[in-house]
Amino acid sequence: MAYTLITANRNYSSWSLRPWVLMKALGIDFTDRIEPFTAPANYEAFRSFSPTGQVPALIDGERTVWDSLGITLYLADRHPGVWPADDAARAFAQCAVAEMHGGFSALRNDCTMNVGVRVRPKAMRPELVRDVARLREIFGEGLSRFGGPWLAGDSFTALDAFFAPVAFRIRTYGLDVGTCQVWVDAVLEHPAMKQWEAEALGEAWREEGHEAELADCGEVIADYRNGA
C-alpha cells in the first residue's frame, strides 16, 4: 500500500488539512506532495492530478480519490479508527462531518483560513453569529456525550479532523466558543497540527487571491509567517 496525498498551501488550504491531519493522527503512511496555489485560478493545473481541479486528492496506485470527504470514506473502508467504534458516537460524528462538509458558508466566507496571522474581524453578520453558535452546540454535545477529550470520545477521529481547520479559524479571528475552547486548545496542541502550523509559518509564497480574501475579513494585527 503506497498512498500519495496531494495538498496545497499549509497556510490557506483548509480542505487539504482534513485528510492530512487524519492520516497523520492515525499513523496511516503516505507520501506528502504539495501543489501550492500559485494563481487566483488553479483549475487547469490541478486537473493534471484531480478530476475536480481541486485539492486534496489521494493517489492509491492507479486509483485517484478526490474530495476530503471522499478520501475519508475511502480510508474508513481500509483502516480502523477513522470513525468512532461506539455506534452513537459514530452516528454523531458522521452527521457532524457531513454538516461541516456541506455547511458553515458564513464561517468559510467571513473567516477565511490563514494559519499564520491574527485578525481583528469585522462586525459579525447574523449568518456568522449563527455558525459560531452552531459550533458551540456541536462541540459541546460531542464533549458532554462522549466524555472527551476529542469530539467523539477518547480517540482522535474524522470528526476532529474535519473541524481542525475551524480551530485555526477560531484562533485567527478570536471567535468565542465558550467552554468548548478546551477542545480548540487540545487540537491545536496535537503533534500533527503543530507540524502543519510550523510548515505553514515557514512557507515563503503568498497568493494574491487568498490575501485579498483575508483583507476583506478584517484587520491583520499580527503576522507570524516567514518574511512577514
Side-chain angles (χ1 to χ4, degrees):
M1 187 179 298
Y3 295 130
T4 296
L5 183 65
I6 304 175
T7 60
N9 308 55
R10 301 292 192 244
N11 194 52
Y12 304 129
S13 187
S14 59
W15 298 102
S16 294
L17 172 56
R18 294 184 175 105
W20 188 95
V21 74
L22 178 65
M23 295 175 78
K24 286 284 186 178
L26 297 184
I28 301 172
D29 290 334
F30 64 95
T31 298
D32 196 354
R33 174 178 157 190
I34 299 178
E35 296 284 345
F37 299 124
T38 56
N42 298 275
Y43 176 79
E44 292 300 333
F46 285 8
R47 282 271 292 173
S48 65
F49 57 79
S50 172
T52 62
Q54 296 176 316
V55 287
L58 182 73
I59 310 301
D60 182 13
E62 299 298 315
R63 181 177 295 154
T64 297
V65 184
W66 64 94
D67 187 276
S68 59
L69 182 55
I71 294 168
T72 297
L73 297 174
Y74 186 81
L75 293 173
D77 286 340
R78 291 158 177 79
H79 301 276
V82 172
W83 299 116
D86 176 75
D87 285 349
R90 185 165 61 252
F92 174 78
Q94 290 172 344
C95 289
V97 162
E99 183 178 354
M100 181 72 253
H101 187 263
F104 293 94
S105 60
L107 180 68
R108 299 183 201 282
N109 294 331
D110 296 3
C111 300
T112 186
M113 186 164 110
N114 196 304
V115 174
V117 302
R118 305 295 181 269
V119 175
R120 182 179 295 114
K122 295 179 179 179
M124 294 173 66
R125 297 186 297 125
E127 294 84 354
L128 179 57
V129 172
R130 287 197 295 268
D131 276 1
V132 174
R134 181 61 184 142
L135 290 176
R136 287 196 293 266
E137 289 178 349
I138 292 172
F139 295 172
E141 181 178 356
L143 292 170
S144 64
R145 285 182 63 191
F146 307 112
W150 305 111
L151 293 178
D154 60 3
S155 298
F156 188 104
T157 67
L159 178 55
D160 302 285
F162 265 70
F163 282 91
V166 174
F168 280 132
R169 285 179 162 102
I170 289 168
R171 185 181 66 181
T172 293
Y173 297 93
L175 302 177
D176 181 8
V177 292
T179 59
C180 301
Q181 184 68 36
V182 65
W183 173 81
V184 175
D185 294 341
V187 78
L188 289 174
E189 287 299 315
H190 191 286
M193 290 284 281
K194 298 291 282 186
Q195 179 183 344
W196 181 278
E197 179 182 7
E199 293 177 11
L201 297 182
E203 290 175 343
W205 56 74
R206 303 288 185 270
E207 195 282 303
E208 181 179 336
H210 286 86
E211 294 299 309
E213 289 177 359
L214 177 65
D216 286 341
C217 292
E219 177 190 358
V220 176
I221 56 176
D223 191 336
Y224 302 107
R225 297 174 294 174
N226 178 48

